[in-house]
Amino acid sequence: MLTVDFTRFPLAPGDRVLDLGCGAGRHAFECYRRGARVVALDQNAEEIREVAKWFAAMEEAGEAPAGATATAMEGDALNLPFPDESFDVVIISEVMEHIPDDKGVLAEMVRVLKPGGRIAVTVPRYGPEKVCWALSDAYHEVEGGHIRIYKADELLGKVRQAGLKPYGTHHAHALHSPYWWLKCAFGVDNDKALPVRAYHKLLVWDIMKKPALTRVAEQLLNPVVGKSFVVYATKPHLPKADAA
């Protein structure tokens, strides 16, 4: 299940991509399949080990084209272990809402991004997220949990302040908002509640089968209750005088 829309955020074979806070690696895997040279970075050692295993399995199965590479590594989003202007593309999906110093993370992403490079940022959307917080303290009052809810204008403002130029936005995963509302209503750790189990089966069916009915329904509902807000931006080239 991808949050970044690669029709709006195109990759070229050979692009050097950083998936920052990669988690289970869903976006890193897609970039690898598209021929990119991918670095998946996260502070969670267990998840990084699993991502590395999947990269190896993909290589063995021939899922990535010739020239594509993939590396999984532990790292700190506020102190990235890369030189300036190392990447053509940076993706940070559902991460910034967890980090107190979100401006510092944006600054690090801009530092390692090449001029003309592209960034995709995704965060939980304000409306659906507010419902989750209202229904359950346990949803967000946990170690490493969500510490803020972004309004669209706030996130766009921080992206611009970091020196980036936004060029597109959209919402994603409308069908997932009711699932999280149910989770919050019945208990975020209670997977046995019948409404939660039933809705989870629907989501799994939708992800696996991709039926036209739910695809159309989600497209229509995304502007209203999409669970995620996605921003695409570029790092401008410096004027020649400034570059000199």
Side-chain angles (χ1 to χ4, degrees):
M1 184 187 74
L2 299 174
T3 307
V4 172
D5 180 352
F6 286 94
T7 65
R8 309 183 197 212
F9 191 69
L11 293 181
D15 273 353
R16 185 162 166 78
V17 177
L18 173 63
D19 185 2
L20 181 55
C22 64
R26 58 201 174 103
H27 288 106
F29 300 149
E30 181 64 20
C31 294
Y32 188 32
R33 290 188 187 99
R34 290 172 178 263
R37 295 174 292 152
V38 183
V39 176
L41 184 143
D42 201 285
Q43 66 177 1
N44 187 311
E46 184 176 345
E47 286 195 311
I48 284 298
R49 284 193 292 270
E50 285 300 310
V51 170
K53 290 178 184 178
W54 278 106
F55 279 152
M58 290 172 67
E59 181 181 14
E60 185 175 349
E63 290 190 35
T69 62
T71 302
M73 62 185 294
E74 289 182 64
D76 180 358
L78 289 165
N79 186 23
L80 295 173
F82 310 111
D84 295 355
E85 302 179 4
S86 299
F87 293 93
D88 303 290
V89 172
V90 178
I91 296 170
I92 184 166
S93 183
E94 311 300 301
V95 173
M96 287 180 55
E97 68 276 8
H98 296 272
I99 300 176
D101 187 7
D102 56 348
K103 290 183 179 180
V105 172
L106 279 167
E108 272 292 88
M109 290 191 294
V110 171
R111 180 184 69 78
V112 301
L113 186 66
K114 296 177 182 178
R118 304 175 307 286
I119 279 183
V121 180
T122 92
V123 298
R125 185 184 186 175
Y126 183 82
E129 187 76 347
K130 285 286 283 187
V131 174
C132 289
W133 283 45
L135 289 172
S136 172
D137 290 337
Y139 171 79
H140 62 97
E141 291 182 357
V142 295
E143 184 178 354
H146 298 185
I147 62 171
R148 71 172 64 82
I149 306 176
Y150 288 100
K151 291 185 177 180
D153 288 347
E154 176 192 2
L155 180 59
L156 285 166
K158 289 185 176 182
V159 168
R160 292 188 179 100
Q161 288 169 13
L164 297 166
K165 184 177 180 180
Y167 69 85
T169 66
H170 65 88
H171 300 97
H173 309 318
L175 295 182
H176 288 251
S177 289
Y179 172 71
W180 282 102
W181 297 338
L182 288 169
K183 288 271 287 181
C184 290
F186 286 93
V188 290
D189 296 320
N190 180 11
D191 294 325
K192 295 182 179 180
L194 180 59
V196 175
R197 287 192 290 116
Y199 203 95
H200 184 262
K201 287 182 179 179
L202 170 66
L203 291 179
V204 171
W205 172 76
D206 174 58
I207 291 169
M208 299 301 294
K209 301 296 185 181
K210 298 180 174 63
L213 178 61
T214 55
R215 294 299 86 218
V216 171
E218 184 155 78
Q219 288 177 9
L220 293 173
L221 290 170
N222 274 337
V224 183
V225 292
K227 183 73 170 65
S228 295
F229 176 58
V230 187
V231 175
Y232 304 112
T234 59
K235 179 177 176 177
H237 289 274
L238 287 173
K240 290 185 178 180
D242 291 346

